[in-house]
Amino acid sequence: MRIQIRQTWNHLFTVFSSMSVVLMVAALLLFLVPMLGKGMSAVFFRGTVEFRKMQHDLYGLGSESTLQKEIAATQAARDDIYAIFDRFSRGIDTDLLAGEAKRLYRDHGDELRYQNVPKDEYTALRKQAKGIRNHLMDAFESVDKAEIFEHLDAVEAFKSDASLKGTSVEKLIAMAADYRNIAETVDFSKRADYAEELDAVEEELFRLFGPRPGVERALAMESYGATRWDVVQKHLHQLVWQESWVLSEDGQQMVQKQVRRDDPKEGSFAGTQLAPMFALVEETVSETLRPRRTFYWRYFVQDSTPGHYFGGVGPEILGTLLLTVLAMCFAVPLGVISAAYLVEYAGENWVIKIIRVCINTLAGVPSIVYGLFGLAFFVEYVTAKQKCITSASMTLALLVLPVIIRASEEAIRAVPRTYREAAMGLGAGKFRTFATVTLPAAGPGILTGIILSLSRAAGETAPILFAGAVALGPIPDFAGKWWFQPTRALSYGCHDITVGDKLAMMVPHNQYGMVMTLILLVLCLNIVAIVIRSRMSKKLRGY
Amino acid sequence: MFEVSEITEKTKSESLTMESIPISKQSEATAGKIKLDGPASASQPETPITPERAIIQSRDFSFFYGSKMGVEKINMDIEIGSVTAIIGPSGCGKSTFLRSINRMNDLIPQTRAEGVLSVGGQDIYDKSTNLVNLRQQVGMVFQRPNPFAKSIYDNITYGPKLQGIRSKAKLDEIVERCLKAGAIWDEVKDDLQKSALALSGGQQQRLCIARTLATMPKVILMDEPCSALDPLATARIEDLIAELKGTYTIVIVTHNMQQAARVSDRTAFFCLGKLVEYGMTDKLFTNPREQATEDYITGRFG
């Protein structure tokens, strides 16, 4: 009976322990797989011609001639789209038309003066032109179709007048003919709505194709269209589909629904001249943007435009490495020496006990407190009020110091006493024994502490928040005083790109990409440390 | 005969060098003043330890771990160039006494010594004793082989390097001499850069002995050197002890009474922190003076 109970206990223990391991692995996979999978989209994606244009302009990559050919081909395809768009927007944006009419009228006056027309004739011609212009302006302003056509008819009455041939007035009459075409299809009562919707459409076209040729945009993020196929899909959807309030089936409530803008019944551009454009954009999108499978390994090397809109995380990786390595340079010697003192030299008195309690407490202090301390002490007094790499890495060093001290202490304590006795028996002093025998034997254990703190230092945001990390900053200048420069870092970048500004919403691939990079970087650092540790313990084991 | 005389020559010269150790305090243990208060068997006419030949002298030596007594009032002389075995039940203080001889017990906090323990005429528990110097003169071999996690070569040169020997040729010479003296040269000479931890237990223990020899000690303390070894390895260590005898003064603690009988000239029997009997090995094992000794060696103890 007792044996059975004991066996049951054993089984229960086995089940519970294996279950907890399975749970942990599952949680890890649940967290890591989507994170890494989405992050990979920052490196593996279908890049469009805009991406190649951006890479060429910003980083001088790719061949100039093939790129120009590609741009020319895509531009040809885009021109058709823009032609439809421009034609329609002329009908809506009547201010533009009115301005043009005024300009043509002025041109007419200049022409007449240039020809030295006699004064009487000049006055008569100008009066005639003014009449035409006014009719045209009235037509532009009116929203009543009958009235518009009345005005247009009045203008087009002059069409047969041979004396006007070759003058600017003829162009005014041509405008009237043009506007008649538009007016036939446009519902002028909805002109204000059209104008609003048209702005949205223009914005989406810009997001897709970038600025029109010849237009320069000041911001780097506005210099190119959709560089990635997933972004293309997103903006294409926003271009073609609109959200509209429609009556639900029972006729009681309005519901929000996605409808195509060119939908014959509900779309806002139903039946207009713009309607064919949406289908055209959809059909020719692979022509206009030419997506191609891209392995963007330079993501880990390249600098980025402000807000991480384009480009990679090169400076962030460099900054993180600098911060972590420097922090370790500060923390490891200090930590190991402190641990050695606590184990080898310090006795067991109340001062040492208080020190131990302090170290344990420090290990539990929230990292933001370290960040504030770093600002109040390191930035203020150590680095001459400069937020910089040195102050940030010192803060990180302080953060990981307790962990290193504790791990080193345990490791040094775990070295068998016979090792120390052997060295002392040969006449080595305390320090010699520690440096030549105890420390090498404790090496793997100390390295374990370093591995733990390495990951922590690389991933912590709060301590460097105030002490030297920036979201937008220069790449460390190794020719100058790089240690007095602030730096970008992956952890801080992750924070900034997530909560920083509205731009973050537009680059989800970069958010995940940066997190993935941080995880991979920590993994790589850990692998290096683990390899060193296994070599060390192999040497200690002797085979 | 020739060899013996050579050894005697050597011992003489070494006892001379022993004089050159900086003596901080001339204790009452100085030659000439010693009154042998040892057991009767130790002062048998055929085996007297003349004060001149006593390298280690213990006078009322007691050692405490905190308030607990390790050994109590030990009076014992150890002859230069001899092998002395210390036997006794567990916890009787034999290791404590052995480790006191090169102050290895200092590593344990809150320990305290009373009385006089002198090596080469120098009171080693005097405040001004140079521990480094003492431990180079009094080497130690431990219960478990404890080579450093370094190559065989580095293990041997660890001590000489501490003494400031840097010349490669000299170090090479020391390594070869010590490994030969440690009877392990033939087994490792092909790869001196091999890790010492890759050796077998017996080889490791011989390496540890060779490592101890490299600092040119006068005394070698062995704390149950064969307890972790199989009989074959034990036999090799015993042969080695026999070879080293004469050149070095060896004090060996052992649980194995046959071993004590085989290797030692004199044997001391400790019990409950006290020296019960000390005398020629043959005599102690065949005709012990004390009842406790007889009980112990015949297995009736306890």
Side-chain angles (χ1 to χ4, degrees), chain A residues 45-49 52 70 289-295:
Chain A
F45 57 90
R46 298 178 76 187
T48 64
V49 64
R52 294 185 278 281
E70 210 172 26
L289 286 160
R290 298 214 170 177
R292 201 193 292 160
R293 289 201 179 285
T294 311
F295 171 40

Side-chain angles (χ1 to χ4, degrees), chain B:
Chain B
M1 281 308 283
F2 177 74
E3 274 185 7
V4 172
S5 66
E6 194 185 58
I7 287 166
T8 333
E9 278 294 316
K10 218 169 179 178
T11 355
K12 267 184 190 163
S13 68
E14 266 161 17
S15 60
L16 277 174
T17 50
M18 187 59 87
E19 296 297 311
S20 63
I21 300 170
I23 294 176
S24 52
K25 177 185 163 190
Q26 291 292 331
S27 65
E28 59 266 69
T30 322
K33 286 183 187 171
I34 299 164
K35 255 173 64 191
L36 279 181
D37 194 21
S41 62
S43 45
Q44 289 287 313
E46 69 271 27
T47 60
I49 303 175
T50 59
E52 292 79 21
R53 293 194 53 77
I55 186 164
I56 298 167
Q57 293 166 314
S58 166
R59 293 288 169 272
D60 287 339
F61 179 76
S62 304
F63 195 88
F64 302 88
Y65 298 100
S67 56
K68 190 175 154 281
M69 171 109 48
V71 290
E72 189 184 358
K73 300 211 179 206
I74 305 293
N75 284 296
M76 189 173 167
D77 282 12
I78 290 169
E79 190 188 11
I80 193 162
S82 71
V83 176
T84 306
I86 302 178
I87 59 171
S90 290
C92 69
K94 53 191 191 306
S95 280
T96 304
F97 179 68
L98 187 80
R99 291 163 65 89
S100 299
I101 298 174
N102 70 345
R103 289 187 60 177
M104 207 45 92
N105 280 334
D106 288 15
L107 288 175
I108 303 161
Q110 295 176 332
T111 53
R112 183 163 58 84
E114 277 176 11
V116 177
L117 184 61
S118 74
V119 175
Q122 177 197 5
D123 181 5
I124 59 167
Y125 276 89
D126 190 70
K127 273 201 186 92
S128 56
T129 301
N130 184 341
L131 275 183
V132 169
N133 205 324
L134 169 71
R135 286 172 183 160
Q136 280 172 1
Q137 302 291 341
V138 184
M140 186 149 189
V141 177
F142 297 87
Q143 192 168 355
R144 302 190 70 84
N146 58 352
F148 302 129
K150 300 169 190 279
S151 68
I152 293 167
Y153 187 91
D154 289 343
N155 261 281
I156 301 293
T157 56
Y158 187 87
K161 275 180 181 166
L162 287 173
Q163 292 171 341
I165 300 171
R166 286 277 174 272
S167 144
K168 178 89 170 77
K170 209 164 179 190
L171 288 175
D172 285 348
E173 184 261 313
I174 289 173
V175 168
E176 186 172 344
R177 182 171 55 74
C178 292
L179 288 175
K180 276 178 175 162
I184 192 180
W185 172 252
D186 291 335
E187 291 153 70
V188 299
K189 66 183 174 198
D190 299 326
D191 189 4
L192 291 176
Q193 293 308 320
K194 194 164 77 167
S195 169
L197 295 171
L199 299 172
S200 73
Q203 287 174 326
Q204 285 186 10
Q205 193 64 299
R206 274 179 281 146
L207 178 68
C208 288
I209 295 173
R211 182 178 66 185
T212 309
L213 298 181
T215 57
M216 313 280 282
K218 304 296 173 284
V219 181
I220 299 176
L221 309 174
M222 295 186 174
D223 191 355
E224 301 179 43
C226 303
S227 66
L229 305 179
D230 67 47
L232 267 176
T234 304
R236 298 213 56 170
I237 302 280
E238 284 178 12
D239 290 348
L240 180 56
I241 292 171
E243 274 172 45
L244 297 174
K245 182 172 144 185
T247 316
Y248 303 91
T249 308
I250 294 173
V251 185
I252 177 169
V253 162
T254 179
H255 274 298
N256 184 334
M257 277 171 284
Q258 282 77 24
Q259 185 177 54
R262 278 194 299 268
V263 300
S264 67
D265 302 321
R266 284 188 176 77
T267 300
F269 174 61
F270 275 57
C271 192
L272 298 172
K274 289 195 175 87
L275 176 62
V276 176
E277 186 166 354
Y278 178 45
M280 298 302 290
T281 301
D282 298 346
K283 175 132 193 345
L284 191 132
F285 277 100
T286 51
N287 183 19
R289 190 168 48 83
E290 302 284 332
Q291 185 60 41
T293 317
E294 193 176 342
D295 288 350
Y296 183 69
I297 58 179
T298 52
R300 267 182 284 142
F301 181 79

Side-chain angles (χ1 to χ4, degrees), chain A residues 52-125:
Chain A
R52 294 185 278 281
K53 212 193 283 180
M54 180 266 290
Q55 286 287 299
H56 179 265
D57 288 359
L58 296 182
Y59 308 108
L61 297 168
S63 125
E64 170 90 41
S65 58
T66 45
L67 181 70
Q68 285 308 332
K69 261 183 235 162
E70 210 172 26
I71 290 174
T74 52
Q75 200 53 54
R78 290 174 192 187
D79 281 345
D80 297 342
I81 295 164
Y82 279 125
I84 300 175
F85 178 80
D86 287 346
R87 196 179 158 71
F88 180 74
S89 61
R90 278 165 74 90
I92 301 305
D93 197 358
T94 48
D95 286 350
L96 200 78
L97 286 173
E100 201 176 333
K102 279 180 193 159
R103 186 177 58 78
L104 284 172
Y105 171 70
R106 274 200 304 278
D107 286 356
H108 180 242
D110 291 346
E111 277 164 24
L112 291 179
R113 276 193 294 277
Y114 185 70
Q115 288 164 4
N116 277 328
V117 181
K119 197 172 178 191
D120 295 347
E121 202 181 332
Y122 174 85
T123 319
L125 281 172

Side-chain angles (χ1 to χ4, degrees), chain A residues 322-324 326-331 334 362 365-383 386-404 453 456-458 460-469:
Chain A
L322 276 179
L323 285 178
T324 314
L326 263 181
M328 287 300 134
C329 288
F330 290 128
L334 211 61
L362 272 181
V365 168
S367 51
I368 187 73
V369 176
Y370 283 98
L372 291 168
F373 174 78
L375 178 69
F377 182 72
F378 291 127
V379 175
E380 196 73 7
Y381 297 111
V382 178
T383 59
Q386 255 176 314
K387 284 177 70 172
C388 61
I389 293 177
T390 313
S391 53
S393 52
M394 276 176 169
T395 315
L396 280 177
L398 206 62
L399 174 86
V400 297
L401 199 57
V403 181
I404 291 185
S453 46
R456 182 134 190 240
E460 274 289 354
T461 312
I464 57 173
L465 196 60
F466 313 115

Side-chain angles (χ1 to χ4, degrees), chain A residues 303-309 315-316 468-475 486-489 492-493 496 501 503:
Chain A
D303 195 1
S304 57
T305 60
H308 289 281
Y309 203 73
E316 276 82 1
V470 286
L472 247 179
I475 300 171
T487 182
R488 290 187 241 171
Y492 185 67
D496 181 73
D501 50 44
L503 277 187

Side-chain angles (χ1 to χ4, degrees), chain A residues 514-527:
Chain A
M514 207 180 275
V515 173
M516 173 200 68
T517 313
L518 182 56
I519 293 175
L520 290 183
L521 187 76
V522 169
L523 194 69
C524 288
L525 287 175
N526 278 355
I527 286 173

